[in-house]
Amino acid sequence: MTDDDRAGRRAAIMAAAAGCFAADGFHTTSMADIIRASGLSAGAVYSYFRSKEELITAVAGLPLANAEAVFAALPADDAAPSPAEAVAALVQGVVARAADDPALGVDITRLAVQVWGEALRNPEVRGRVSAVYRTLRDHCTEVARRWQAAGNLPPEARPDEVGAAMLGLAQGFLLQRLLLDEATAEGYIAGATAVLAH
Amino acid sequence: MTDDDRAGRRAAIMAAAAGCFAADGFHTTSMADIIRASGLSAGAVYSYFRSKEELITAVAGLPLANAEAVFAALPADDAAPSPAEAVAALVQGVVARAADDPALGVDITRLAVQVWGEALRNPEVRGRVSAVYRTLRDHCTEVARRWQAAGNLPPEARPDEVGAAMLGLAQGFLLQRLLLDEATAEGYIAGATAVLAH
DNA sequence: CACGCTAAAACGAACGCTCGTTCTTGACAA
DNA sequence: TTGTCAAGAACGAGCGTTCGTTTTAGCGTG
């Protein structure tokens, strides 16, 4: 079995687990659920992941990596989007990733919410979440900084604080889309834009 | 035993459970944990709550009721606070409730995050969460409506959409305070205000 | 006041079941 | 034949829950 084969199988197990975790949370899905979803046997799964906790940690990384990709695309090259445009891009990024990722077959935003809860009790997950979220905020901060440099933000405003608010708007949309059925990207973007427009 | 005694004991069990749930999530705290924390016996706890699920449902209501109280105080009488002032009040409300409630001894915002995760898998919790969050958003919408009526918001802006963004800002702060240690209320309020100021 | 009775409340050992994990077995490829 | 990997039965631990027993509190009676 080649390394690629092994990596592919590992990814398939993670995808199966991600589906279970997104539907039922980390601690109510049983290993039997994951084993069934993966189509493999217990022994096979346990030869790729030493324990359920290792699987949780690995799967928890998926929405974090995804978010990092969306946010990293924000301050593209030397463009200077407005905060409103940036938040719009983030919200659309959330929606795009929420449509079940074909490589994963999961609404990864549901997984993100489970990761938030897990971060409150699992120090390893907590550490990775705060590291990633700090960089997400920094990407937003960079947008605010450029916007300020272009003279569109009062000089006394602090870009890092504006960045935190932008991140908050994106996180709030992720949540509202999942918990308030009628929350739409367009409406939220319009509201955020009205609120961000000067 | 009077009805008040029974209600008090029930509340004490809920407080003990809330502490466990806030620290470890709903599904990794065992009934044994809750029983130990309550200082009662298994039989006593089960005479107040038929099952663990009933206890989860009851405790999940605590942060919802709390949030409703904070948001209901927003559009006080016929005052017309700006969206920025309203968000500042919400953020301060989050912080105030986060300091361990003396009647409960719990950071109720941690519980809120667990409730978000539970809402994704438990239809009863989900229903109550979306009902409550709709009213929270409506309170924000009312603030936006009054602000618009006072001529401070462009006439083409839709108050409900602005309300959703305000709610999102509050939710984002709740999350960042828990997951990004250095998130402060003052900084977030300043950022949100810069973003909301016209 | 003392006593014994009763109902309510709490107790906690015990139960059946499901969990996460291991390990023996067998099948297949080289 | 030998080495590799998946299969899935089996295991002990720990789960949520029950239920027979003990404790407590209050009342009526002598």
Side-chain angles (χ1 to χ4, degrees):
Chain A
M1 214 173 182
T2 70
D3 277 6
D4 275 8
D5 288 342
R6 282 198 68 81
R9 187 92 86 177
R10 204 182 137 92
I13 293 170
M14 282 174 65
C20 296
F21 289 154
D24 229 17
F26 291 120
H27 302 290
T28 36
T29 82
S30 65
M31 285 302 285
D33 293 334
I34 295 169
I35 288 157
R36 198 179 315 114
S38 73
L40 296 176
S41 66
V45 169
Y46 271 90
S47 81
Y48 287 89
F49 294 93
R50 250 194 292 276
S51 65
K52 188 186 183 183
E53 190 174 331
E54 193 174 307
L55 198 39
I56 288 176
T57 307
V59 171
L62 298 177
L64 295 177
N66 232 295
E68 205 147 19
V70 173
F71 279 70
L74 264 196
D77 303 329
D78 49 2
S82 71
E85 287 164 342
V87 169
L90 294 177
V91 165
Q92 277 154 355
V94 166
V95 171
R97 311 289 163 141
D100 298 0
D101 182 326
L104 208 57
V106 175
D107 177 346
I108 214 169
T109 66
R110 294 176 65 95
L111 222 33
V113 174
Q114 301 297 342
V115 169
W116 295 342
E118 184 65 8
L120 293 183
R121 59 173 297 278
N122 180 329
E124 185 179 347
V125 171
R126 160 73 199 248
R128 291 171 49 187
V129 168
S130 52
V132 169
Y133 278 19
R134 229 187 307 279
T135 78
L136 303 190
R137 197 190 42 190
D138 291 346
H139 286 301
C140 292
T141 299
E142 177 58 22
V143 169
R145 202 190 325 275
R146 294 184 188 180
W147 197 242
Q148 189 175 44
N152 298 114
L153 207 58
E156 72 274 15
R158 284 185 46 186
D160 58 335
E161 295 174 347
V162 174
M166 291 168 61
L167 174 58
L169 278 167
Q171 290 166 330
F173 173 71
L174 187 149
L175 200 54
Q176 290 182 34
R177 197 190 67 89
L178 290 171
L179 298 181
L180 281 158
D181 348 64
E182 72 274 16
T184 69
E186 296 74 25
Y188 196 85
I189 290 171
T193 301
V195 127
L196 288 160
H198 285 271
Chain B
M1 214 176 182
T2 69
D3 277 6
D4 274 8
D5 287 343
R6 282 198 70 80
R9 188 89 88 180
R10 203 182 138 93
I13 294 170
M14 282 174 65
C20 296
F21 289 154
D24 229 17
F26 291 119
H27 302 289
T28 35
T29 82
S30 65
M31 284 304 283
D33 293 334
I34 296 168
I35 287 157
R36 198 179 314 114
S38 73
L40 297 176
S41 67
V45 169
Y46 271 90
S47 81
Y48 288 88
F49 294 92
R50 250 193 293 278
S51 66
K52 187 184 182 184
E53 191 175 331
E54 194 175 307
L55 199 38
I56 289 176
T57 306
V59 171
L62 298 176
L64 296 177
N66 232 295
E68 204 148 19
V70 173
F71 279 70
L74 264 196
D77 303 329
D78 48 2
S82 72
E85 287 164 341
V87 169
L90 294 176
V91 165
Q92 278 154 353
V94 167
V95 171
R97 312 289 164 142
D100 297 359
D101 181 327
L104 208 57
V106 175
D107 178 346
I108 214 169
T109 66
R110 294 175 65 95
L111 223 33
V113 174
Q114 301 298 342
V115 169
W116 295 343
E118 184 65 8
L120 294 183
R121 58 173 296 278
N122 179 330
E124 185 178 346
V125 171
R126 160 74 200 248
R128 290 172 48 186
V129 168
S130 50
V132 169
Y133 278 19
R134 228 187 309 279
T135 78
L136 303 190
R137 196 190 43 190
D138 290 347
H139 285 302
C140 292
T141 298
E142 177 58 21
V143 169
R145 202 191 325 274
R146 294 184 188 181
W147 197 242
Q148 190 176 44
N152 299 115
L153 208 58
E156 70 275 15
R158 283 184 44 186
D160 58 335
E161 295 174 348
V162 174
M166 292 168 60
L167 174 59
L169 278 167
Q171 289 167 331
F173 173 70
L174 187 150
L175 200 54
Q176 290 182 34
R177 196 191 68 89
L178 290 170
L179 298 180
L180 279 158
D181 348 65
E182 72 274 14
T184 68
E186 295 73 26
Y188 196 85
I189 290 172
T193 301
V195 127
L196 289 160
H198 284 273

